[in-house]
Amino acid sequence: MTLVSVIIPAFNSERYIERSIDSVINQTYTNIEIIVIDDGSTDNTSTLLRKYYEKNLVKLVSLAENKGQANAINKGILFSTGSVISLLDSDDYYLPNHIEKA
């Protein structure tokens, strides 16, 4: 099965990030790595992301300061090991079979 890397750039996303990550965790296709780039968040996003990281559910890359979504995505690509890369905004989510259908 092909490994799919899902990259989620996050900046001040405390209201949405859990729904976003959970939607990837609950995919029908399971050979997935989740890479979240905390782009210098100043709200509670970092705390929420650490909970997922501590449970080994995501790879977490924390940037010291906000440098924008494109920079965060590029950092995520550097850490990805999948043959396929999927991008998900931190305020969006996937339907349960999104990756399988793609």
Side-chain angles (χ1 to χ4, degrees):
M1 233 186 342
T2 303
L3 178 64
V4 176
S5 299
V6 178
I7 299 172
I8 306 173
F11 175 73
N12 290 350
S13 304
E14 67 182 358
R15 292 184 3 200
Y16 313 105
I17 194 65
E18 291 176 300
R19 182 177 186 188
S20 180
I21 294 172
D22 289 343
S23 79
V24 180
I25 291 170
N26 294 315
Q27 287 294 296
T28 56
Y29 188 89
T30 58
N31 198 21
I32 299 171
E33 69 176 353
I34 304 168
I35 304 165
V36 184
I37 310 301
D38 181 6
D39 194 19
S41 294
T42 57
D43 65 357
N44 199 36
T45 300
S46 299
T47 301
L48 297 172
L49 294 176
R50 276 193 301 276
K51 291 178 184 177
Y52 286 95
Y53 173 76
E54 289 168 357
K55 294 178 182 177
N56 293 318
L57 297 172
V58 302
K59 290 182 180 179
L60 176 58
V61 178
S62 297
L63 305 178
E65 61 184 62
N66 180 270
K67 294 204 176 192
Q69 185 174 24
N71 181 68
I73 290 168
N74 288 334
K75 294 289 184 191
I77 291 170
L78 292 175
F79 286 90
S80 69
T81 59
S83 301
V84 175
I85 294 176
S86 180
L87 304 176
L88 179 62
D89 288 338
S90 60
D91 62 345
D92 287 335
Y93 61 93
Y94 288 154
L95 295 175
N97 63 350
H98 175 83
I99 293 177
E100 180 179 5
K101 294 292 182 183

